[in-house]
Amino acid sequence: MNALYSLLFVFLLVLIPLFGVDAAHMRTFFGVCIPTTAFIIFIIGFVYKVVTWGRSAVPFRIPTTGGQFKSFDPELFKQNKLDCPQTGAQTFFRMVLEIFAFRSLFRNTQVSLHEGKGHPVVAYKSSKWLWLFAITFHYSFFIIALRHLRLFLEPIPFLPVGALDFVDGILQIGAPVMYLSDVGLVVGVLLLLGRRLVLPRINYISYVSDYFPLLLILSIALSGIYMRYYAKVDVIAIKELTMGLVTFHYVVPESITVSFFIHVFLVSTLMVYFPFSKLMHMPGVFLSPTRNLPNDSRAKHHVNPWNDPNIKAHAYADYEKEFGVPMAEAGLPLDNPENGVPKDEAEA
Amino acid sequence: MSDIPKADELFKSIDYNPPLTGWMETPVDFSPGHWCYPAKPEKIEYMDKKLPGLWGEPRKWLPSDADWKLPANWKETVVNGFRERLKKFRSLQLFMDICVRCGACADKCHYFIGSGDPKNMPVLRAELMRSVYRGEFTVAGKILSKFTGSRVMEEDVLKEWFIYFYQCTQCRRCSLFCPYGIDTAEMTMMARELMHLVGLNTNWIMEPVSNCNITGNHLGIQPHAFKDIVDFMVDDIEEVTGRRVKAPLNEKGHEILFITPSGDVFADPGIYTFMGYLLLFDYLDLDYTMSTYASEGGNFGSFTNNEVMKKLNAKMYAEAERLGCKWILGGECGHMWRVVHQYMDTMTGDTQWSGMTTPKSPVTGTVFDTAAATKMLHITEFTADLIKHNKLKLDPSRNDHLRVTFHDSCNPARGMGLLEEPRYVLKHVCNNFFEMPPATIREQTFCCAGGSGLNTDEIMEIRLRGGLPRGNALRYVQEQHGVNLMACICAIDRATLIPLADYWAPGVTISGTHELVANALVLEEGEVRTMDMRQEPLPGFEDEDDDWTPPTKEDA
Ligand code: SF4
Ligand code: SF4
């Protein structure tokens, strides 16, 4: 149901520019106004959210540790520097691997129950599918985004844009060059989508807001592929438009066809949607306090900005007042011998 | 325990397929057995005097009642408290926003593995809170509630929180596998803080909390009774070893303050571990004292809220100052060490007195820079260092009747990184050591299912279900290697693993690590022992000394 809703939404989104551009002749609206507004919303929303995170405190160091910590004897007990970092540099590498290799996800296992001989067996096996799907998807997306820079930069820098183009297009099928990342993105989205639809547990936890971004990205990819390989849009004209956007000299050349407007409209939707959704995991992954802090709070002092100095231990003096008599009887030392004298004796 | 199904029946009842109804529409089971008893009003009254405003109205109520007697402004209190904590904890704010519901954490939780209840998937457990966050605090959630899985705070939602946030042992296993390190344990802590504000709590947590504050330990053992118990243990040690050990209490002017969880003082098999500490310290002629006032290392405050956690933790430094101790040695405890390692110095470091120094072993001279800020050392670090420097004469063959495995406690494993020291100690004090399967130990260790205040009999079935992964791994080494003892470094484990093992791997006993150290420790040249610390005959001495009586604990 949630998946169907999402599909419906995306269809509607395609229809808007399809009719909007042709019927209403709102080329400037769809070519300039929408993407510019979307971009502004994206930036403001993104920054706002990150600032909100930044403004909430990190009172304690709470890294989740995955391996041996730095011991008193680093030779006898080898520290796992990546999963249990204690310095800034070690933590940095932990984060690099998290961000670029999805390392925690790589660790994923799957549990299964079996009837063993006479008693039950709980088995765990490594399960790297999600890692594979996710990494295919994210890298493809990332490379495609970088490749698009060629539309916004003049001259086009070889690094990384030109180089990426070259590597990405190595698998040359037909003309124009077929990009590996295009395939990767579509396949990645379909796999992630399929996983949500097929696995009962994942399906159970999925909302419209989980299907929608996948379908939206899929439609963006498909519209892009359509433009490039089938509709063969006028790239020169598009570059004119995009360069106009970044230099604030807006032009919408006549030779640009509707498929481009659909593509741009979908991308704009994604930009607007981004800061209000779970897609914010992208900046969020950098900020996670269980990952980006060194595990050193027993060795180094840290400050909790809202630590309340008025909270004090139950005073020993009160403790002794309460239990002084039996303490004295048991022969436990007292700070104040008077506490050891029973009440009635003290009065007598 | 009579209505608890047999192990194989329980196993067969687990179904990982979610129900047909969506999770928001699936009702929660409030029948007895699914929750811990709420706190007695007098416990709340006491704590409200000490830390006012955090506990709601003290009252009698039961989760099976329709009316939980919530205060009139409960909703406001919870929502405002939520807002406040979003500012105070970036973890909370971030974890509310960035979960992608990928499900990587879903089958990592022992409660889900043993129950199949989808709300025990960490992702859904956290969604119980996230849905409210989106509904109350985000624009998208307010307009598109159906599509984003949002809802507003309602009585039923709060009731659902009560059940499921008291079915999370804050073990953090989910966090290890989450691509963003989302720590459901952290959210459990916050949810519990919020529930406390409106008087939703459990007695098994609140009674220890108030006891810790009054008497210094969670069992409410008063100082003279504490001393009695220690004296009994001294007698028992003499019975086993012939040596009368010193057991200094509340004495001023010693170098080291020793603090262990009070579970070690009170119950089988913790007391044997405690005897192990005493014997070891006497053997070393260590300049130390224990304290009846700071007689609890375990911090039950960490199951309630930050304020109590700090208040209870602060007594350790307070006592070190009063007694003039230079550093603190800590016993075998799980959540105590999560608090000591990750929170202590940040919370209470400013109350350290000027005489405290970085721990330095008086026996080996090793300086433990790893504890330079807290001045607090874990006993397995201390002992591992002794063994490395050959300072202990050990006869591991005294443990030859034991085939040992090691259970990593969640907190030291995933909140500290203490993995190898206890293993090193164990391997030197016993000849037969076997690891459980890799997916169930070290950082991937499975919870005993009774941590974070859930170690109570009224939810035994839930505990046994949650204990399935650990129990099954134990059963595996029992069959493969004849393992008959599981050692651990946590007092809660020493209590909770016993019913767990009886149920899933009958025949395996539980012990602390220093019990085995004490068995192996050769006090003097040619010393012969006929029994172990439990006063059970060692192999070859079966005929003698089998008429012993267990130590009385009535005074406790
Ligand atoms: S693994 Fe992390 S991101 Fe994935 S569902 Fe669980 S909490 Fe969310
Ligand atoms: S912290 Fe442990 S008990 Fe709680 S949800 Fe995560 S895995 Fe389950």
Side-chain angles (χ1 to χ4, degrees):
Chain A
M1 214 36 208
N2 284 341
L4 281 181
Y5 273 134
S6 312
L7 195 63
L8 195 69
F9 273 141
V10 175
F11 267 130
L12 286 177
L13 287 172
V14 174
L15 291 182
I16 294 170
L18 192 62
F19 291 103
V21 175
D22 268 11
H25 296 285
M26 291 155 71
R27 299 172 64 88
T28 316
F29 180 71
F30 282 99
V32 176
C33 304
I34 293 257
T36 312
T37 319
F39 185 69
I40 293 170
I41 295 177
F42 171 73
I43 293 292
I44 294 179
F46 190 98
V47 170
Y48 176 79
K49 193 88 236 188
V50 174
V51 168
T52 311
W53 292 338
R55 282 173 51 182
S56 59
V58 185
F60 303 107
R61 309 227 137 186
I62 50 164
T64 310
T65 63
Q68 173 67 31
F69 71 167
K70 187 180 166 214
S71 173
F72 65 93
D73 187 336
E75 267 168 40
L76 193 55
F77 308 115
K78 284 248 170 351
Q79 182 196 358
N80 184 333
K81 295 195 169 114
L82 281 177
D83 286 323
C84 212
Q86 226 188 356
T87 65
Q90 291 164 4
T91 313
F92 178 79
F93 283 113
R94 178 185 209 186
M95 289 305 288
V96 165
L97 283 174
E98 252 347 299
I99 288 157
F100 291 105
F102 297 11
R103 192 149 177 274
S104 292
L105 205 51
F106 194 71
R107 204 183 257 138
N108 199 17
T109 58
Q110 199 193 334
V111 75
S112 54
L113 305 178
H114 307 268
E115 277 300 333
K117 267 185 259 119
H119 66 85
V121 172
V122 189
Y124 315 89
K125 61 165 198 269
S126 164
S127 161
K128 307 222 183 300
W129 292 115
L130 178 57
W131 176 84
L132 189 72
F133 297 174
I135 213 144
T136 309
F137 169 75
H138 283 89
Y139 268 99
S140 303
F141 199 124
F142 182 61
I143 291 169
I144 291 172
L146 277 188
R147 262 206 281 112
H148 277 69
L149 283 181
R150 65 159 52 246
L151 296 174
F152 298 92
L153 299 172
E154 189 69 65
I156 301 162
F158 181 71
L159 278 176
V161 184
L164 264 182
D165 253 9
F166 176 73
V167 178
D168 202 3
I170 273 179
L171 193 79
Q172 195 167 346
I173 307 173
V177 182
M178 152 110 158
Y179 288 119
L180 273 179
S181 52
D182 287 357
V183 182
L185 185 62
V186 173
V187 171
V189 173
L190 288 175
L191 289 172
L192 289 173
L193 208 55
R195 190 177 163 272
R196 271 197 196 281
L197 289 168
V198 172
L199 300 182
R201 254 181 276 153
I202 309 302
N203 190 294
Y204 196 67
I205 56 173
S206 299
Y207 307 126
V208 169
S209 55
D210 294 303
Y211 293 107
F212 176 70
L214 282 174
L215 286 166
L216 182 61
I217 290 167
L218 182 65
S219 64
I220 290 172
L222 292 178
S223 64
I225 289 169
Y226 175 79
M227 255 161 58
R228 184 176 161 84
Y229 303 100
Y230 301 98
K232 307 252 160 77
V233 290
D234 182 351
V235 183
I236 314 280
I238 288 175
K239 175 128 187 178
E240 231 174 289
L241 184 148
T242 52
M243 285 309 293
L245 288 179
V246 282
T247 54
F248 307 110
H249 298 299
Y250 307 112
V251 273
V252 185
E254 274 308 313
S255 59
I256 296 179
T257 48
V258 70
S259 58
F260 170 78
F261 290 102
I262 294 177
H263 187 67
V264 167
F265 187 73
L266 293 172
V267 172
S268 306
T269 312
L270 184 66
M271 285 199 283
V272 172
Y273 182 75
F274 199 102
F276 304 100
S277 70
K278 68 170 195 178
L279 300 181
M280 286 303 280
H281 68 273
M282 189 267 240
V285 65
F286 292 87
L287 287 167
S288 184
T290 53
R291 293 280 193 270
N292 71 4
L293 295 168
N295 179 31
D296 65 353
S297 39
R298 199 154 59 106
K300 265 195 211 135
H301 183 66
H302 302 285
V303 176
N304 169 1
W306 47 261
N307 198 16
D308 183 351
N310 297 318
I311 297 175
K312 298 225 165 64
H314 178 66
Y316 174 82
D318 294 340
Y319 173 85
E320 201 180 277
K321 254 189 214 122
E322 190 168 353
F323 300 112
V325 177
M327 279 172 88
E329 274 167 23
L332 289 165
L334 295 179
D335 276 1
N336 178 0
E338 274 170 35
N339 287 329
V341 183
K343 270 249 156 58
D344 38 345
E345 274 177 45
E347 278 153 18
Chain B
M1 267 177 78
S2 57
D3 51 350
I4 289 177
K6 292 220 160 38
D8 53 336
E9 289 165 33
L10 188 149
F11 184 80
K12 284 200 191 90
S13 75
I14 304 170
D15 179 7
Y16 288 159
N17 286 311
L20 294 172
T21 46
W23 68 264
M24 284 195 204
E25 285 84 47
T26 308
V28 182
D29 190 349
F30 290 106
S31 55
H34 288 85
W35 35 263
C36 311
Y37 298 131
K40 296 172 193 146
E42 66 264 27
K43 304 291 161 197
I44 301 299
E45 272 157 28
Y46 173 78
M47 282 316 292
D48 195 52
K49 268 188 230 125
K50 303 291 159 186
L51 288 166
L54 298 171
W55 312 103
E57 271 297 297
R59 64 185 189 275
K60 273 211 157 80
W61 64 285
L62 276 182
S64 51
D65 297 344
D67 181 8
W68 289 19
K69 301 185 192 152
L70 290 167
N73 62 344
W74 72 269
K75 183 174 166 168
E76 233 186 308
T77 311
V78 172
V79 172
N80 289 341
F82 201 158
R83 189 177 293 114
E84 187 191 321
R85 278 159 188 80
L86 288 167
K87 285 223 174 63
K88 285 168 88 175
F89 296 92
R90 186 180 301 167
S91 49
L92 182 65
Q93 172 76 53
L94 200 72
F95 297 163
M96 289 291 123
D97 285 322
I98 66 170
C99 171
V100 293
R101 287 174 294 281
C102 66
C105 56
D107 57 356
K108 306 303 179 285
C109 177
H110 49 284
Y111 284 123
F112 176 72
I113 294 175
S115 73
D117 182 344
K119 285 177 195 165
N120 273 327
M121 296 192 280
V123 48
L124 258 199
R125 194 188 313 284
E127 283 295 314
L128 303 181
M129 220 175 161
R130 272 197 284 264
S131 55
V132 174
Y133 165 77
R134 287 189 290 259
E136 298 282 348
F137 303 121
T138 71
V139 183
K142 276 189 182 137
I143 11 184
L144 300 167
S145 60
K146 262 257 147 46
F147 302 131
T148 56
S150 326
R151 52 185 183 176
V152 288
M153 195 70 209
E154 271 165 15
E155 207 166 318
D156 285 344
V157 173
L158 189 69
K159 289 181 173 180
E160 193 181 35
W161 280 18
F162 181 79
I163 296 294
Y164 287 98
F165 287 113
Y166 285 102
Q167 270 184 46
C168 164
T169 44
Q170 309 182 352
C171 76
R172 305 182 107 198
R173 194 168 189 270
C174 47
S175 167
L176 181 74
F177 292 91
C178 172
Y180 318 114
I182 292 178
D183 185 1
T184 307
E186 187 79 357
M187 278 172 277
T188 296
M189 289 181 182
M190 299 306 140
R192 288 188 183 184
E193 285 201 0
L194 295 177
M195 288 190 286
H196 276 294
L197 294 177
V198 291
L200 300 188
N201 46 43
T202 73
N203 197 58
W204 215 90
I205 293 174
M206 286 316 294
E207 188 158 336
V209 159
S210 83
N211 282 344
C212 285
N213 204 54
I214 310 170
T215 62
N217 60 68
H218 86 272
L219 297 154
I221 309 171
Q222 298 189 358
H224 51 293
F226 195 95
K227 180 162 190 306
D228 278 351
I229 301 171
V230 173
D231 287 343
F232 273 121
M233 288 197 258
V234 171
D235 291 343
D236 281 351
I237 294 171
E238 193 174 9
E239 183 85 25
V240 175
T241 67
R243 179 187 275 232
R244 184 111 196 131
V245 300
K246 283 195 299 271
L249 272 169
N250 295 2
E251 289 179 10
K252 290 191 180 178
H254 294 288
E255 181 184 359
I256 302 164
L257 172 63
F258 178 67
I259 300 178
T260 196
S262 60
D264 284 351
V265 191
F266 174 68
D268 261 356
I271 49 169
Y272 307 120
T273 304
F274 197 100
M275 286 154 65
Y277 308 139
L278 293 181
L279 190 64
L280 175 71
F281 300 157
D282 194 79
Y283 172 89
L284 298 169
D285 198 17
L286 199 70
D287 181 20
Y288 84 107
T289 184
M290 298 176 286
S291 158
T292 60
Y293 160 76
S295 52
E296 176 66 80
N299 191 317
F300 283 73
S302 64
F303 311 150
T304 52
N305 56 40
N306 267 275
E307 288 80 1
V308 184
M309 173 162 65
K310 176 172 180 181
K311 190 169 175 59
L312 298 183
N313 180 266
K315 72 177 187 276
M316 301 208 216
Y317 284 140
E319 189 66 342
E321 173 162 14
R322 188 183 73 87
L323 299 175
C325 298
K326 287 192 190 146
W327 56 275
I328 307 174
L329 185 58
E332 300 180 10
C333 181
H335 64 285
M336 158 180 171
W337 275 99
R338 167 114 197 258
V339 173
V340 167
H341 184 78
Q342 295 197 324
Y343 299 98
M344 184 177 192
D345 180 64
T346 318
M347 260 176 345
T348 56
D350 56 331
T351 64
Q352 256 182 37
W353 74 291
S354 55
M356 290 194 90
T357 55
T358 301
K360 177 179 168 189
S361 170
V363 188
T364 65
T366 304
V367 178
F368 294 86
D369 288 322
T370 40
T374 55
K375 321 279 194 284
M376 192 154 172
L377 199 61
H378 194 284
I379 182 125
T380 61
E381 296 177 287
F382 180 71
T383 307
D385 174 62
L386 294 170
I387 293 174
K388 185 202 149 195
H389 285 93
N390 251 324
K391 296 293 180 192
L392 302 183
K393 232 178 132 20
L394 297 167
D395 177 2
S397 74
R398 290 210 197 120
N399 284 320
D400 274 357
H401 56 306
L402 303 173
R403 300 177 70 79
V404 181
T405 191
F406 179 67
H407 162 77
D408 289 274
S409 313
C410 308
N411 284 299
R414 279 184 291 267
M416 189 171 175
L418 181 85
L419 305 178
E420 296 306 328
E421 288 87 343
R423 287 183 164 77
Y424 181 81
V425 172
L426 281 173
K427 285 177 192 165
H428 280 85
V429 299
C430 65
N431 288 319
N432 308 304
F433 180 80
F434 308 92
E435 292 280 14
M436 287 180 282
T440 69
I441 53 167
R442 293 206 163 81
E443 67 273 4
Q444 297 198 44
T445 188
F446 275 106
C447 186
C448 64
S452 88
L454 303 186
N455 175 19
T456 164
D457 286 355
E458 59 259 27
I459 52 158
M460 190 49 94
E461 182 175 336
I462 288 171
R463 283 172 51 195
L464 293 173
R465 284 182 177 278
L468 169 66
R470 172 46 75 233
N472 201 260
L474 183 58
R475 177 82 182 240
Y476 177 81
V477 281
Q478 187 186 23
E479 295 198 336
Q480 295 285 314
H481 306 291
V483 161
N484 57 11
L485 182 128
M486 177 154 65
C488 60
I489 47 166
C490 172
I492 289 187
D493 285 343
R494 284 191 277 281
T496 56
L497 289 174
I498 292 172
L500 188 154
D502 286 347
Y503 190 79
W504 292 114
V508 179
T509 47
I510 310 299
S511 86
T513 302
H514 277 74
E515 175 186 341
L516 303 186
V517 172
N519 280 346
L521 195 63
V522 181
L523 298 173
E524 51 208 73
E525 210 53 58
E527 184 204 13
V528 181
R529 285 213 209 147
T530 57
M531 49 186 155
D532 61 14
M533 297 313 286
R534 301 189 183 201
Q535 301 193 7
E536 279 160 18
L538 287 172
F541 297 95
E542 280 88 355
D543 295 332
E544 308 166 30
D545 297 302
D546 52 5
D547 59 342
W548 67 286
T549 39
T552 36
K553 278 162 286 168
E554 266 99 77
D555 307 62

